[in-house]
Coordinates of all heavy atoms in Angstrom, one line a residue:
G265 N 0.7 -1.2 0.0 CA 0.0 0.1 0.0 C 0.8 1.2 0.0 O 0.5 2.2 -0.8
F266 N 1.9 1.4 0.9 CA 2.5 2.7 1.0 C 3.3 3.1 -0.3 O 3.2 4.2 -0.7 CB 3.5 2.7 2.2 CG 4.3 4.0 2.3 CD1 3.6 5.1 2.8 CD2 5.6 4.0 2.1 CE1 4.4 6.2 2.9 CE2 6.3 5.2 2.1 CZ 5.7 6.3 2.6
R267 N 4.0 2.1 -0.9 CA 4.7 2.4 -2.0 C 3.8 2.8 -3.3 O 4.2 3.8 -4.0 CB 5.6 1.3 -2.5 CG 6.8 1.0 -1.6 CD 7.6 -0.1 -2.2 NE 8.9 0.0 -1.6 CZ 10.0 -0.1 -2.2 NH1 10.0 -0.3 -3.5 NH2 11.1 -0.1 -1.5
A268 N 2.7 2.2 -3.4 CA 1.7 2.5 -4.5 C 1.2 3.9 -4.2 O 0.9 4.7 -5.1 CB 0.7 1.5 -4.6
A269 N 0.8 4.2 -3.0 CA 0.2 5.5 -2.6 C 1.2 6.6 -2.7 O 0.8 7.8 -3.1 CB -0.4 5.4 -1.2
S270 N 2.5 6.3 -2.4 CA 3.4 7.5 -2.5 C 4.0 7.7 -3.9 O 4.8 8.5 -4.1 CB 4.7 7.1 -1.5 OG 5.3 6.0 -2.0
G271 N 3.6 6.8 -4.8 CA 4.1 7.0 -6.2 C 5.4 6.3 -6.5 O 5.9 6.4 -7.6
A272 N 6.0 5.5 -5.6 CA 7.3 4.8 -5.8 C 7.0 3.6 -6.7 O 7.9 3.1 -7.4 CB 7.8 4.3 -4.5
L273 N 5.8 3.1 -6.8 CA 5.4 1.9 -7.6 C 4.4 2.4 -8.7 O 3.3 2.8 -8.3 CB 4.9 0.9 -6.7 CG 4.6 -0.5 -7.4 CD1 5.9 -1.2 -7.9 CD2 3.9 -1.4 -6.5
S274 N 4.8 2.3 -10.0 CA 3.9 2.8 -11.0 C 2.7 1.8 -11.1 O 2.9 0.6 -10.9 CB 4.7 2.9 -12.3 OG 5.0 1.6 -12.9
P275 N 1.6 2.2 -11.6 CA 0.4 1.4 -11.9 C 0.8 0.2 -12.8 O 0.3 -0.8 -12.7 CB -0.6 2.3 -12.4 CG -0.2 3.7 -12.0 CD 1.3 3.7 -11.9
G276 N 1.5 0.5 -13.8 CA 1.9 -0.6 -14.7 C 2.7 -1.7 -14.1 O 2.4 -2.9 -14.3
V277 N 3.6 -1.4 -13.3 CA 4.4 -2.4 -12.5 C 3.5 -3.1 -11.5 O 3.6 -4.3 -11.4 CB 5.6 -1.8 -11.8 CG1 6.3 -2.8 -10.9 CG2 6.6 -1.2 -12.9
A278 N 2.6 -2.4 -10.9 CA 1.6 -3.1 -10.0 C 0.8 -4.0 -10.7 O 0.5 -5.1 -10.2 CB 0.8 -2.0 -9.3
G279 N 0.2 -3.6 -11.8 CA -0.6 -4.5 -12.6 C 0.1 -5.7 -13.1 O -0.3 -6.8 -13.2
L280 N 1.4 -5.5 -13.6 CA 2.3 -6.7 -14.1 C 2.5 -7.6 -12.9 O 2.5 -8.8 -13.1 CB 3.5 -6.1 -14.6 CG 4.5 -7.2 -15.3 CD1 3.8 -7.8 -16.5 CD2 5.8 -6.5 -15.6
S281 N 2.8 -7.1 -11.7 CA 3.0 -7.9 -10.5 C 1.8 -8.8 -10.2 O 1.9 -9.9 -9.9 CB 3.4 -7.0 -9.3 OG 4.5 -6.3 -9.6
L282 N 0.6 -8.1 -10.3 CA -0.6 -8.8 -10.0 C -0.9 -9.9 -11.0 O -1.4 -11.1 -10.7 CB -1.8 -7.9 -9.8 CG -1.9 -7.0 -8.7 CD1 -3.0 -6.1 -8.7 CD2 -1.9 -7.9 -7.3
S283 N -0.6 -9.6 -12.3 CA -0.8 -10.6 -13.3 C 0.1 -11.8 -13.1 O -0.4 -12.9 -13.2 CB -0.5 -9.9 -14.7 OG -0.5 -10.8 -15.7
Y284 N 1.4 -11.6 -12.8 CA 2.2 -12.7 -12.6 C 1.9 -13.5 -11.4 O 2.0 -14.7 -11.2 CB 3.7 -12.2 -12.4 CG 4.4 -12.0 -13.8 CD1 5.0 -10.9 -14.1 CD2 4.3 -13.0 -14.7 CE1 5.6 -10.7 -15.3 CE2 5.0 -12.8 -16.0 CZ 5.6 -11.6 -16.2 OH 6.2 -11.4 -17.4
A285 N 1.4 -12.7 -10.2 CA 1.0 -13.4 -9.1 C -0.2 -14.3 -9.3 O -0.3 -15.4 -8.6 CB 0.7 -12.3 -8.0
M286 N -1.1 -13.9 -10.1 CA -2.3 -14.7 -10.3 C -2.0 -15.9 -11.2 O -2.7 -17.0 -11.1 CB -3.4 -13.8 -11.1 CG -4.0 -12.8 -10.1 SD -5.2 -11.8 -10.9 CE -6.5 -12.9 -11.3
S287 N -0.9 -15.9 -12.1 CA -0.7 -17.0 -12.9 C 0.3 -18.0 -12.2 O 0.5 -19.1 -12.7 CB -0.1 -16.6 -14.3 OG 1.1 -15.9 -14.1
M288 N 0.9 -17.6 -11.1 CA 1.9 -18.3 -10.5 C 1.4 -19.7 -10.0 O 2.1 -20.7 -10.3 CB 2.5 -17.7 -9.2 CG 3.6 -18.3 -8.5 SD 5.1 -18.3 -9.5 CE 5.5 -16.6 -9.5
P289 N 0.3 -19.9 -9.4 CA -0.3 -21.2 -9.0 C -0.4 -22.1 -10.2 O 0.0 -23.3 -10.1 CB -1.5 -21.0 -8.4 CG -1.5 -19.6 -7.9 CD -0.6 -18.9 -8.8
R290 N -0.9 -21.7 -11.3 CA -1.1 -22.5 -12.5 C 0.3 -22.9 -13.0 O 0.5 -24.1 -13.4 CB -1.8 -21.7 -13.6 CG -2.1 -22.5 -14.9 CD -2.5 -21.6 -16.0 NE -1.4 -20.7 -16.3 CZ -1.6 -19.5 -16.8 NH1 -2.8 -19.0 -17.0 NH2 -0.5 -18.7 -17.1
D291 N 1.3 -22.0 -13.0 CA 2.6 -22.4 -13.5 C 3.2 -23.4 -12.6 O 4.0 -24.3 -13.1 CB 3.5 -21.1 -13.6 CG 3.0 -20.2 -14.7 OD1 2.2 -20.6 -15.6 OD2 3.3 -19.0 -14.6
L292 N 3.1 -23.2 -11.3 CA 3.7 -24.2 -10.3 C 3.0 -25.6 -10.5 O 3.7 -26.6 -10.4 CB 3.6 -23.7 -8.9 CG 4.5 -22.5 -8.5 CD1 4.1 -22.0 -7.2 CD2 5.9 -22.9 -8.7
M293 N 1.7 -25.6 -10.7 CA 1.0 -26.9 -11.0 C 1.5 -27.5 -12.3 O 1.8 -28.8 -12.3 CB -0.5 -26.7 -11.1 CG -1.2 -28.1 -11.2 SD -3.1 -27.9 -11.3 CE -3.5 -26.3 -10.6
W294 N 1.7 -26.8 -13.3 CA 2.3 -27.3 -14.6 C 3.7 -27.8 -14.4 O 4.0 -29.0 -14.8 CB 2.4 -26.2 -15.6 CG 3.1 -26.7 -16.9 CD1 2.4 -27.4 -18.0 CD2 4.4 -26.5 -17.2 NE1 3.3 -27.6 -18.9 CE2 4.6 -27.1 -18.5 CE3 5.5 -26.0 -16.6 CZ2 5.8 -27.2 -19.2 CZ3 6.7 -26.0 -17.2 CH2 6.9 -26.5 -18.5
L295 N 4.5 -27.2 -13.5 CA 5.8 -27.6 -13.2 C 5.8 -28.9 -12.5 O 6.6 -29.9 -12.8 CB 6.6 -26.5 -12.5 CG 8.1 -26.8 -12.1 CD1 8.9 -27.0 -13.4 CD2 8.6 -25.7 -11.2
S296 N 5.0 -29.0 -11.5 CA 4.9 -30.2 -10.7 C 4.4 -31.4 -11.5 O 5.0 -32.5 -11.4 CB 4.1 -30.0 -9.4 OG 2.7 -29.9 -9.8
R297 N 3.5 -31.2 -12.5 CA 3.1 -32.2 -13.4 C 4.1 -32.7 -14.3 O 4.3 -33.8 -14.6 CB 1.8 -31.8 -14.1 CG 0.5 -31.8 -13.3 CD -0.6 -31.4 -14.2 NE -1.8 -31.3 -13.5 CZ -3.0 -31.0 -14.0 NH1 -3.1 -30.5 -15.2 NH2 -4.0 -31.0 -13.2
R298 N 4.9 -31.8 -14.8 CA 6.0 -32.1 -15.7 C 7.0 -32.8 -15.0 O 7.6 -33.8 -15.5 CB 6.6 -30.8 -16.3 CG 7.5 -31.0 -17.4 CD 6.9 -31.6 -18.5 NE 8.0 -32.0 -19.5 CZ 8.0 -33.2 -20.1 NH1 7.1 -34.1 -19.9 NH2 9.0 -33.5 -20.8
I299 N 7.4 -32.5 -13.8 CA 8.4 -33.2 -13.0 C 7.9 -34.6 -12.7 O 8.6 -35.6 -12.9 CB 8.7 -32.5 -11.7 CG1 9.5 -31.2 -12.0 CG2 9.5 -33.4 -10.7 CD1 9.7 -30.3 -10.9
A300 N 6.6 -34.8 -12.4 CA 6.1 -36.1 -12.1 C 6.1 -37.0 -13.4 O 6.5 -38.2 -13.4 CB 4.6 -36.0 -11.7
N301 N 5.8 -36.4 -14.6 CA 5.9 -37.1 -15.9 C 7.3 -37.5 -16.2 O 7.6 -38.7 -16.6 CB 5.4 -36.3 -17.0 CG 3.9 -36.2 -17.0 OD1 3.2 -37.0 -16.4 ND2 3.3 -35.3 -17.7
I302 N 8.3 -36.7 -15.9 CA 9.7 -37.0 -16.2 C 10.1 -38.2 -15.2 O 10.8 -39.1 -15.6 CB 10.6 -35.8 -15.9 CG1 10.3 -34.8 -17.0 CG2 12.0 -36.2 -15.9 CD1 11.0 -33.4 -16.8
E303 N 9.6 -38.2 -14.0 CA 10.0 -39.2 -13.1 C 9.4 -40.6 -13.5 O 10.1 -41.6 -13.5 CB 9.4 -38.8 -11.7 CG 9.8 -39.9 -10.7 CD 9.2 -39.6 -9.3 OE1 8.6 -38.5 -9.1 OE2 9.4 -40.3 -8.4
V304 N 8.2 -40.5 -14.1 CA 7.6 -41.8 -14.6 C 8.4 -42.2 -15.8 O 8.6 -43.5 -16.0 CB 6.0 -41.5 -15.0 CG1 5.5 -42.6 -15.8 CG2 5.3 -41.4 -13.7
E305 N 8.8 -41.3 -16.7 CA 9.6 -41.8 -17.8 C 10.9 -42.4 -17.4 O 11.4 -43.4 -18.0 CB 9.8 -40.6 -18.8 CG 8.5 -40.1 -19.5 CD 8.6 -38.9 -20.2 OE1 9.8 -38.4 -20.4 OE2 7.6 -38.4 -20.7
L306 N 11.6 -41.7 -16.4 CA 12.8 -42.3 -15.9 C 12.6 -43.7 -15.3 O 13.5 -44.5 -15.4 CB 13.5 -41.4 -15.0 CG 14.0 -40.1 -15.6 CD1 14.5 -39.1 -14.6 CD2 15.1 -40.4 -16.6
V307 N 11.5 -43.9 -14.6 CA 11.3 -45.3 -14.0 C 11.1 -46.3 -15.2 O 11.7 -47.4 -15.0 CB 10.0 -45.2 -13.1 CG1 9.5 -46.6 -12.8 CG2 10.3 -44.4 -11.9
S308 N 10.4 -45.8 -16.2 CA 10.3 -46.9 -17.3 C 11.6 -47.2 -18.0 O 12.0 -48.3 -18.3 CB 9.4 -46.4 -18.4 OG 9.9 -45.2 -19.0
I309 N 12.6 -46.2 -18.0 CA 13.9 -46.5 -18.5 C 14.6 -47.4 -17.5 O 15.4 -48.3 -17.9 CB 14.7 -45.2 -18.7 CG1 14.1 -44.3 -19.8 CG2 16.2 -45.4 -18.9 CD1 14.6 -43.0 -20.0
E310 N 14.5 -47.2 -16.2 CA 15.1 -48.1 -15.2 C 14.6 -49.5 -15.3 O 15.4 -50.4 -15.3 CB 14.8 -47.6 -13.8 CG 15.5 -46.3 -13.5 CD 15.1 -45.8 -12.1 OE1 14.3 -46.4 -11.4 OE2 15.6 -44.8 -11.6
R311 N 13.3 -49.6 -15.7 CA 12.8 -51.0 -15.8 C 13.4 -51.7 -17.1 O 13.7 -52.8 -17.1 CB 11.3 -51.0 -15.9 CG 10.6 -50.7 -14.7 CD 9.1 -50.7 -14.9 NE 8.4 -50.4 -13.7 CZ 7.1 -50.2 -13.6 NH1 6.4 -50.3 -14.6 NH2 6.6 -49.9 -12.4
I312 N 13.4 -50.9 -18.1 CA 14.1 -51.5 -19.4 C 15.5 -51.9 -19.1 O 15.9 -53.0 -19.5 CB 14.0 -50.4 -20.5 CG1 12.5 -50.3 -21.0 CG2 14.9 -50.9 -21.7 CD1 12.3 -49.2 -21.9
M313 N 16.3 -51.1 -18.4 CA 17.6 -51.5 -18.1 C 17.7 -52.7 -17.2 O 18.6 -53.6 -17.4 CB 18.4 -50.3 -17.4 CG 18.6 -49.1 -18.3 SD 19.3 -49.5 -19.9 CE 20.9 -50.0 -19.4
E314 N 16.8 -52.9 -16.3 CA 16.7 -54.1 -15.5 C 16.4 -55.3 -16.3 O 17.0 -56.4 -16.2 CB 15.7 -53.9 -14.4 CG 16.0 -53.0 -13.3 CD 14.9 -52.9 -12.2 OE1 14.0 -53.8 -12.2 OE2 15.0 -51.9 -11.4
Y315 N 15.5 -55.2 -17.3 CA 15.1 -56.3 -18.2 C 16.4 -56.7 -19.0 O 16.6 -57.8 -19.3 CB 13.9 -56.0 -19.0 CG 12.7 -56.0 -18.2 CD1 11.7 -54.9 -18.5 CD2 12.4 -56.9 -17.2 CE1 10.5 -54.9 -17.8 CE2 11.2 -56.8 -16.5 CZ 10.3 -55.8 -16.8 OH 9.1 -55.8 -16.1
V316 N 17.1 -55.6 -19.5 CA 18.2 -55.9 -20.3 C 19.3 -56.7 -19.6 O 19.9 -57.6 -20.2 CB 18.8 -54.7 -20.8 CG1 20.2 -54.8 -21.5 CG2 17.8 -54.0 -21.9
R317 N 19.4 -56.4 -18.3 CA 20.4 -57.1 -17.5 C 20.0 -58.5 -16.9 O 20.8 -59.1 -16.3 CB 20.8 -56.2 -16.3 CG 21.5 -55.0 -16.8 CD 21.9 -54.1 -15.6 NE 22.5 -52.8 -16.1 CZ 22.1 -51.6 -15.7 NH1 21.1 -51.5 -14.9 NH2 22.7 -50.6 -16.3
L318 N 18.8 -58.8 -17.2 CA 18.3 -60.2 -16.7 C 19.1 -61.3 -17.4 O 19.4 -61.2 -18.6 CB 16.9 -60.4 -17.0 CG 15.9 -59.6 -16.1 CD1 14.5 -59.9 -16.5 CD2 16.1 -60.1 -14.6
P319 N 19.5 -62.3 -16.7 CA 20.1 -63.5 -17.4 C 19.1 -64.2 -18.2 O 17.9 -64.1 -18.0 CB 20.6 -64.3 -16.2 CG 19.7 -64.0 -15.1 CD 19.4 -62.5 -15.2
A320 N 19.6 -64.9 -19.3 CA 18.7 -65.7 -20.2 C 18.1 -66.8 -19.3 O 18.6 -67.4 -18.5 CB 19.5 -66.2 -21.3
E321 N 16.8 -67.1 -19.8 CA 16.0 -68.1 -19.1 C 16.5 -69.5 -19.5 O 17.2 -69.7 -20.6 CB 14.6 -68.0 -19.4 CG 14.0 -66.7 -18.8 CD 12.5 -66.6 -19.1 OE1 11.9 -67.5 -19.6 OE2 11.9 -65.5 -18.7
E322 N 16.2 -70.5 -18.8 CA 16.6 -71.9 -19.1 C 16.0 -72.4 -20.5 O 16.7 -73.0 -21.2 CB 16.2 -72.8 -18.0 CG 16.9 -72.6 -16.7 CD 18.5 -72.8 -16.9 OE1 18.9 -73.7 -17.6 OE2 19.2 -72.0 -16.4
A323 N 14.8 -72.0 -20.8 CA 14.2 -72.4 -22.1 C 14.9 -71.8 -23.2 O 15.2 -72.5 -24.2 CB 12.7 -72.0 -22.1
A324 N 15.4 -70.6 -23.1 CA 16.1 -69.9 -24.1 C 17.5 -70.5 -24.3 O 18.0 -70.7 -25.4 CB 16.3 -68.5 -23.9
H325 N 18.1 -70.9 -23.1 CA 19.4 -71.6 -23.2 C 19.2 -73.0 -23.9 O 20.1 -73.4 -24.7 CB 19.9 -71.7 -21.8 CG 21.2 -72.5 -21.8 ND1 22.4 -71.9 -22.4 CD2 21.7 -73.6 -21.3 CE1 23.4 -72.7 -22.2 NE2 22.9 -73.7 -21.5
A326 N 18.1 -73.8 -23.5 CA 18.0 -75.1 -24.1 C 17.7 -75.0 -25.6 O 18.2 -75.8 -26.3 CB 16.7 -75.7 -23.4
A327 N 17.0 -73.9 -26.1 CA 16.7 -73.7 -27.4 C 18.1 -73.4 -28.2 O 18.1 -73.8 -29.4 CB 15.7 -72.6 -27.6
S328 N 18.9 -72.7 -27.6 CA 20.1 -72.4 -28.2 C 21.1 -73.7 -28.4 O 21.9 -73.7 -29.2 CB 20.9 -71.3 -27.5 OG 21.4 -71.8 -26.2
Q329 N 20.7 -74.7 -27.6 CA 21.5 -76.0 -27.7 C 20.7 -76.9 -28.7 O 21.2 -78.0 -28.9 CB 21.5 -76.6 -26.4 CG 22.2 -75.8 -25.2 CD 23.7 -75.5 -25.7 OE1 24.3 -76.3 -26.2 NE2 24.1 -74.3 -25.2
G330 N 19.7 -76.4 -29.3 CA 18.9 -77.2 -30.3 C 17.7 -77.9 -29.8 O 17.1 -78.7 -30.5
E331 N 17.4 -77.8 -28.5 CA 16.2 -78.4 -27.9 C 15.0 -77.6 -28.2 O 15.2 -76.4 -28.4 CB 16.4 -78.7 -26.4 CG 17.7 -79.5 -26.1 CD 17.9 -79.5 -24.7 OE1 17.1 -79.1 -23.8 OE2 19.1 -80.0 -24.3
S332 N 13.9 -78.2 -28.1 CA 12.6 -77.4 -28.2 C 11.8 -77.3 -27.0 O 12.0 -78.2 -26.0 CB 11.7 -77.9 -29.4 OG 11.3 -79.2 -29.0
E333 N 11.0 -76.3 -26.8 CA 10.1 -76.3 -25.6 C 9.0 -77.3 -25.7 O 8.8 -77.8 -26.8 CB 9.6 -74.8 -25.5 CG 10.7 -73.8 -25.3 CD 10.1 -72.4 -25.1 OE1 8.9 -72.3 -24.9 OE2 10.9 -71.4 -25.2
P334 N 8.3 -77.5 -24.6 CA 7.2 -78.5 -24.6 C 6.1 -78.2 -25.7 O 5.5 -79.1 -26.2 CB 6.6 -78.3 -23.2 CG 7.7 -77.8 -22.3 CD 8.5 -76.9 -23.3
N335 N 5.9 -77.0 -26.1 CA 4.8 -76.7 -27.0 C 5.4 -76.8 -28.5 O 4.7 -76.5 -29.4 CB 4.2 -75.3 -26.8 CG 5.2 -74.2 -26.8 OD1 6.3 -74.4 -27.1 ND2 4.7 -73.0 -26.5
G336 N 6.5 -77.2 -28.6 CA 7.2 -77.3 -30.0 C 7.8 -76.0 -30.5 O 8.3 -76.1 -31.6
C337 N 7.8 -75.0 -29.8 CA 8.4 -73.7 -30.2 C 9.8 -73.7 -30.0 O 10.3 -74.3 -29.0 CB 7.7 -72.5 -29.6 SG 5.9 -72.4 -29.9
H338 N 10.5 -73.0 -30.7 CA 12.0 -72.8 -30.5 C 12.1 -71.3 -30.0 O 11.7 -70.5 -30.7 CB 12.7 -73.0 -31.8 CG 12.8 -74.5 -32.1 ND1 13.6 -75.4 -31.5 CD2 12.0 -75.2 -33.0 CE1 13.3 -76.6 -32.1 NE2 12.4 -76.5 -33.0
A339 N 12.9 -71.2 -29.0 CA 13.2 -69.8 -28.5 C 14.7 -69.6 -28.6 O 15.5 -70.5 -28.4 CB 12.8 -69.7 -27.0
T340 N 15.1 -68.4 -28.9 CA 16.5 -68.0 -29.0 C 16.8 -66.9 -27.9 O 15.8 -66.2 -27.6 CB 16.9 -67.5 -30.4 OG1 16.1 -66.4 -30.6 CG2 16.7 -68.6 -31.5
P341 N 17.9 -66.9 -27.4 CA 18.2 -65.9 -26.4 C 18.0 -64.5 -26.9 O 18.5 -64.3 -28.0 CB 19.6 -66.2 -25.9 CG 20.0 -67.6 -26.4 CD 19.0 -67.8 -27.6
M342 N 17.3 -63.7 -26.2 CA 17.1 -62.4 -26.8 C 18.3 -61.4 -26.6 O 18.5 -60.5 -27.4 CB 15.9 -61.7 -26.1 CG 14.5 -62.3 -26.4 SD 13.2 -61.7 -25.5 CE 13.4 -60.0 -25.8
L343 N 19.1 -61.7 -25.6 CA 20.2 -60.8 -25.4 C 21.5 -61.5 -25.8 O 22.1 -62.3 -25.0 CB 20.2 -60.4 -23.9 CG 19.0 -59.8 -23.4 CD1 19.0 -59.5 -21.9 CD2 18.7 -58.6 -24.1
Q344 N 22.0 -61.2 -26.9 CA 23.3 -61.8 -27.4 C 24.4 -60.9 -26.9 O 25.6 -61.4 -26.9 CB 23.2 -61.9 -28.9 CG 22.2 -62.8 -29.5 CD 22.4 -64.2 -29.1 OE1 23.7 -64.7 -28.8 NE2 21.4 -65.1 -29.1
G345 N 24.3 -59.7 -26.7 CA 25.3 -58.7 -26.2 C 24.8 -57.5 -25.9 O 23.6 -57.1 -26.2
A346 N 25.6 -56.7 -25.4 CA 25.1 -55.3 -25.0 C 25.0 -54.4 -26.2 O 24.1 -53.5 -26.2 CB 26.1 -54.6 -24.0
A347 N 25.8 -54.6 -27.2 CA 25.7 -53.6 -28.3 C 24.9 -54.3 -29.4 O 25.0 -55.5 -29.7 CB 27.1 -53.3 -28.9
G348 N 24.2 -53.5 -30.2 CA 23.4 -53.9 -31.3 C 22.3 -54.8 -31.1 O 22.0 -55.8 -31.8
M349 N 21.6 -54.6 -29.9 CA 20.4 -55.5 -29.5 C 19.2 -55.2 -30.4 O 19.0 -54.2 -30.8 CB 20.1 -55.3 -28.1 CG 21.1 -55.9 -27.1 SD 20.5 -55.9 -25.5 CE 20.7 -54.2 -25.1
A350 N 18.4 -56.4 -30.6 CA 17.2 -56.2 -31.4 C 16.2 -57.3 -30.8 O 16.7 -58.4 -30.4 CB 17.5 -56.4 -32.9
I351 N 15.0 -57.0 -30.9 CA 14.0 -57.9 -30.6 C 13.1 -58.2 -31.8 O 12.7 -57.2 -32.5 CB 13.0 -57.4 -29.5 CG1 13.9 -57.1 -28.2 CG2 11.9 -58.2 -29.2 CD1 13.0 -56.4 -27.2
S352 N 12.9 -59.5 -32.1 CA 12.2 -59.8 -33.4 C 11.2 -60.9 -33.0 O 11.5 -61.7 -32.1 CB 13.1 -60.3 -34.5 OG 13.7 -61.5 -34.1
A353 N 10.1 -61.0 -33.7 CA 9.1 -62.0 -33.5 C 8.6 -62.5 -34.8 O 8.3 -61.7 -35.7 CB 7.9 -61.5 -32.7
R354 N 8.4 -63.8 -34.9 CA 8.0 -64.4 -36.2 C 6.7 -65.3 -35.8 O 6.8 -66.0 -34.7 CB 9.0 -65.3 -36.8 CG 10.2 -64.5 -37.3 CD 11.1 -65.3 -38.0 NE 12.4 -64.5 -38.2 CZ 13.4 -64.9 -38.7 NH1 13.6 -66.2 -39.0 NH2 14.4 -64.2 -38.9
A355 N 5.7 -65.2 -36.5 CA 4.5 -65.9 -36.4 C 3.9 -65.8 -34.9 O 3.6 -66.7 -34.2 CB 4.6 -67.5 -36.6
L356 N 3.8 -64.5 -34.5 CA 3.4 -64.1 -33.2 C 1.9 -64.1 -33.1 O 1.3 -63.4 -34.0 CB 4.0 -62.8 -32.7 CG 3.6 -62.3 -31.4 CD1 4.1 -63.2 -30.3 CD2 4.0 -60.8 -31.3
R357 N 1.3 -64.8 -32.2 CA -0.2 -64.7 -32.1 C -0.5 -64.3 -30.7 O 0.0 -64.8 -29.7 CB -0.8 -66.1 -32.3 CG -0.7 -66.5 -33.8 CD -1.3 -67.8 -34.1 NE -1.0 -68.8 -33.2 CZ -1.8 -69.8 -32.9 NH1 -2.9 -70.1 -33.5 NH2 -1.5 -70.7 -32.0
L358 N -1.4 -63.3 -30.5 CA -1.8 -62.9 -29.2 C -3.3 -63.0 -29.1 O -4.0 -62.8 -30.0 CB -1.4 -61.5 -29.1 CG 0.0 -61.1 -29.1 CD1 0.2 -59.6 -29.1 CD2 0.9 -61.7 -28.0
R359 N -3.7 -63.4 -27.9 CA -5.2 -63.5 -27.6 C -5.4 -63.3 -26.2 O -4.5 -63.3 -25.3 CB -5.7 -64.9 -28.0 CG -5.2 -66.0 -27.2 CD -5.8 -67.4 -27.6 NE -5.2 -68.5 -26.9 CZ -5.7 -68.9 -25.7 NH1 -6.7 -68.3 -25.1 NH2 -5.0 -69.9 -25.1
Y360 N -6.7 -62.9 -25.8 CA -7.0 -62.8 -24.5 C -7.2 -64.1 -23.8 O -7.5 -65.1 -24.4 CB -8.4 -62.0 -24.3 CG -8.4 -60.6 -24.6 CD1 -8.7 -60.1 -25.8 CD2 -7.8 -59.7 -23.7 CE1 -8.7 -58.7 -26.1 CE2 -7.6 -58.4 -23.9 CZ -8.1 -57.9 -25.1 OH -8.0 -56.5 -25.4
D361 N -7.0 -64.2 -22.5 CA -7.1 -65.4 -21.7 C -8.6 -65.8 -21.7 O -9.5 -64.9 -21.6 CB -6.6 -65.3 -20.3 CG -6.3 -66.6 -19.7 OD1 -6.4 -67.6 -20.3 OD2 -6.1 -66.6 -18.4
S362 N -8.9 -67.1 -21.7 CA -10.3 -67.4 -21.7 C -11.0 -67.3 -20.3 O -12.2 -67.5 -20.2 CB -10.4 -68.9 -22.2 OG -9.7 -69.7 -21.3
D363 N -10.3 -66.9 -19.3 CA -10.9 -66.9 -18.0 C -11.9 -65.7 -17.9 O -11.8 -64.7 -18.3 CB -9.8 -66.7 -16.9 CG -9.0 -68.0 -16.7 OD1 -9.4 -69.0 -17.2 OD2 -7.8 -67.9 -16.1

């Protein structure tokens, strides 16, 4: 009050201050949502890195030795090395469980 009444604060600066003050909660909410989204994305990257570091399963190891799984499918180890990894699927069929 005193600065505005004494003329030390111009009406334009006062209006600009009020304008920024009114949009501050919205901007802080946007910032907190953005930080939460980044955290979720980083967690998904952590999960991918955990899956990459998993050892090959026994079925994949048996298939690499020329054995087949009980259903007649052949599986190959997905992780051959850290560099140049790729995931491929042939004759893939997906369906909902009958339960």
